[in-house]
Amino acid sequence: MKKLLLVLFFLGTASWYNSGPLVRITDYDYDMYYSKGINETLKYLENMAEIESAKKALYHAKMGYYYYEEKDYGNAERMLKKALSEDKDMEEVYIKIGTLYSLQGRNKEALEYYLKGTRLKEKYPDIFFGAGVAYFDLGSYEKAAEYLERAVNMYKMANKQDELNRAAILLYYSYDSIGDDGKLERFLKRAIERDIYKNVFSKKLSELYYSKGMSKAAIRYVHIGMRNEPENADTYYLAGVLYYETKKYKESEEYLKRAVELYGEEGNNTGVERAYDGIYYVKNYSGTKDELEEFLKTSIENNVNKATFCSHLAAFYIKERRFSDALKYNLEGIRADSYSMENYFGAGISYYYKGDLDNAAKYFEEAARLYRETDNKEYLGETYAFLYKTVIENNDGEKAAEVENAARSDLGSMEWERKKK
């Protein structure tokens, strides 16, 4: 993920640069390149370098730029370096060479040129940004943060919002990669105070506090993010989770319902299902039995995460010892998702208590197979225990021995003995 992120950052670097571009869309050579191609453009630039020898470094750098556009990186490198030998103060050439090397995975060489660029008398934020990216890609996160901080400050002063946001995001990942929560917290607070990517960093600070069990502090910052981006579904979802953690169930349900609406408007079905699942936990812990049952039935009718909610409703009915109702929804959940191991397990429970031991064993076996495939040892052990109990009561000694052998193999003898009790 980080490599992908860096490639995206590098690909955009040249297009962000505005202080002294090698090629402007108003330039004659730009129009020639797109109308007549690379060869005619190179001939023109070679000729201009001879005619205007005082500007030959610029024309040679432009040739490097067009070679770069053609993905002829060897000639691009040659011409860009030639330009620097003629004029060592061409800041964008340092950026272009750094970008060229980074795209080829030559990160140490890229860093070398970015660092040379940072030593120019005039300071250019893109060069500091490039150095930060190179350090990040080399795994030197402290140094990455040092250079990205400089870039962020310069972009902020220059009021370059897009560049500022991109640099700030990578600076966040640098602090996150350092693994020092204190430094990460201080960075996020500073960014929020300076109105840098406030909506994103408020949410990140909320998540940091939530991970540390500081739900009340997290709520404060999630509301700051909400004020800056009032229609962000993820923020409402996070608020719902935080209010749930602080046992403010009414507020939790309110924000989760709003998250459902916003995810729905986005067409984000995964988000809708996640928020509905949050509402289920709110109802389960704070609602009445009738409210919980009605919510689950409505969710199933609306085809929201059907297999999961069928499993939830079946579990509710099992708790109420309404095994026929539970079985109905477990089987419906299996029809919705044939890999829904919870529904196979639930169906086994209902068949067991209904006295249908053959079917109970059948569904427990399928649940065990699925739990084994997903390496879910905790639920696999529970399933083996119920399966063993079922076949013993069904007077199937041969099957019981088979189950024991499989359980010992998958769980280990000590764990199986513990589960069997």
Side-chain angles (χ1 to χ4, degrees):
M1 178 58 73
K2 286 177 179 174
K3 283 286 185 184
L4 175 61
L5 179 70
L6 294 182
V7 169
L8 293 174
F9 271 69
F10 272 125
L11 288 175
T13 299
S15 65
W16 302 336
Y17 188 78
N18 295 311
S19 62
L22 295 177
V23 177
R24 300 177 178 86
I25 61 172
T26 54
D27 289 351
Y28 179 70
D29 50 273
Y30 177 90
D31 182 66
M32 177 178 289
Y33 175 70
Y34 285 100
S35 62
K36 297 184 179 179
I38 182 69
N39 292 329
E40 288 297 316
T41 306
L42 293 173
K43 287 179 185 177
Y44 165 75
L45 291 169
E46 285 175 349
N47 188 47
M48 290 302 298
E50 291 180 9
I51 295 172
E52 298 183 20
S53 58
K55 295 171 67 177
K56 63 182 178 181
L58 173 62
Y59 291 119
H60 289 150
K62 280 175 174 277
M63 291 172 70
Y65 174 93
Y66 290 117
Y67 276 127
Y68 177 94
E69 290 296 297
E70 293 287 306
K71 295 184 172 54
D72 184 347
Y73 297 140
N75 277 318
E77 178 183 356
R78 177 176 61 82
M79 294 310 302
L80 290 168
K81 285 185 174 180
K82 184 174 183 179
L84 274 187
S85 71
E86 295 160 344
D87 182 352
K88 295 187 183 302
D89 292 324
M90 298 185 71
E91 70 280 356
E92 194 182 353
V93 177
Y94 290 101
I95 296 171
K96 207 67 181 175
I97 294 175
T99 305
L100 179 70
Y101 282 144
S102 68
L103 288 174
Q104 298 174 79
R106 298 160 65 181
N107 297 309
K108 289 184 179 179
E109 292 167 279
L111 178 61
E112 178 188 344
Y113 274 86
Y114 285 128
L115 291 179
K116 286 179 180 178
T118 64
R119 299 186 195 104
L120 295 174
K121 185 175 181 181
E122 191 168 349
K123 304 303 179 185
Y124 298 93
D126 287 339
I127 298 179
F128 283 87
F129 174 78
V133 174
Y135 272 124
F136 186 96
D137 206 24
L138 289 166
S140 299
Y141 303 119
E142 293 276 6
K143 295 295 289 185
E146 176 187 334
Y147 281 86
L148 289 166
E149 285 277 12
R150 295 281 300 275
V152 163
N153 291 335
M154 286 188 276
Y155 285 136
K156 180 72 174 172
M157 289 180 66
N159 199 29
K160 293 184 175 182
Q161 197 62 46
D162 289 342
E163 295 91 333
L164 170 63
N165 288 343
R166 292 185 179 106
I169 283 288
L170 189 55
L171 180 53
Y172 163 79
Y173 282 113
S174 298
Y175 281 121
D176 187 48
S177 298
I178 289 168
D180 185 329
D181 284 350
K183 287 183 178 180
L184 182 59
E185 180 184 0
R186 287 191 292 275
F187 159 71
L188 289 169
K189 282 185 172 180
R190 283 200 314 271
I192 293 164
E193 288 166 3
R194 297 174 69 192
D195 201 22
I196 296 173
Y197 231 171
K198 200 170 187 177
N199 57 324
V200 172
F201 290 142
S202 296
K203 182 171 177 289
K204 291 294 184 186
L205 186 54
S206 295
E207 291 170 349
L208 176 63
Y209 283 141
Y210 174 54
S211 70
K212 297 168 74 173
M214 300 167 62
S215 295
K216 289 183 179 178
I219 286 172
R220 176 190 169 198
Y221 281 96
V222 85
H223 280 291
I224 291 174
M226 208 174 285
R227 286 195 295 272
N228 279 269
E229 195 175 10
E231 300 300 305
N232 186 294
D234 287 338
T235 306
Y236 279 90
Y237 174 77
L238 179 57
V241 170
L242 292 170
Y243 277 116
Y244 174 84
E245 291 292 329
T246 54
K247 296 181 169 37
K248 293 185 177 180
Y249 299 118
K250 182 179 178 182
E251 291 87 347
S252 176
E253 184 173 349
E254 175 188 334
Y255 283 105
L256 288 168
K257 283 182 175 177
R258 182 59 180 147
V260 166
E261 292 174 5
L262 293 170
Y263 282 131
E265 290 170 8
E266 295 172 4
N268 185 342
N269 292 332
T270 301
V272 168
E273 291 174 357
R274 184 175 59 165
Y276 259 102
D277 211 37
I279 296 171
Y280 159 72
Y281 284 105
V282 172
K283 295 282 190 187
N284 193 37
Y285 280 93
S286 67
T288 65
K289 289 180 180 180
D290 288 344
E291 287 174 339
L292 177 59
E293 182 181 8
E294 183 60 30
F295 167 73
L296 288 169
K297 281 185 174 180
T298 301
S299 301
I300 293 165
E301 288 168 5
N302 291 335
N303 206 29
V304 177
N305 206 3
K306 194 168 186 176
T308 297
F309 282 112
C310 281
S311 173
H312 288 329
L313 185 53
F316 171 81
Y317 285 137
I318 288 172
K319 198 173 181 180
E320 297 295 307
R321 302 193 69 80
R322 293 165 58 179
F323 299 114
S324 293
D325 290 329
L327 183 59
K328 170 189 171 184
Y329 281 99
N330 279 137
L331 295 178
E332 187 174 341
I334 290 168
R335 287 193 293 272
D337 180 1
S338 61
Y339 292 93
S340 177
M341 54 202 81
E342 295 84 359
N343 279 302
Y344 281 102
F345 179 76
I349 294 287
S350 293
Y351 274 124
Y352 175 83
Y353 283 109
K354 284 167 66 68
D356 187 343
L357 299 181
D358 287 335
N359 268 318
K362 171 186 170 184
Y363 280 89
F364 283 138
E365 277 197 278
E366 185 60 17
R369 181 184 70 81
L370 293 170
Y371 283 130
R372 187 166 53 248
E373 286 180 359
T374 56
D375 200 30
N376 190 329
K377 294 290 179 67
E378 181 63 28
Y379 286 102
L380 177 59
E382 297 291 336
T383 305
Y384 273 138
F386 267 102
L387 176 57
Y388 181 74
K389 181 179 180 181
T390 300
V391 296
I392 286 289
E393 291 182 17
N394 208 23
N395 298 314
D396 191 343
E398 184 179 342
K399 187 66 178 178
E402 181 185 317
V403 171
E404 276 220 281
N405 287 334
R408 289 182 191 281
S409 174
D410 291 335
L411 304 173
S413 295
M414 289 182 63
E415 180 64 13
W416 168 238
E417 290 300 324
R418 188 179 71 84
K419 289 290 185 184
K420 191 167 63 169
K421 293 176 183 178

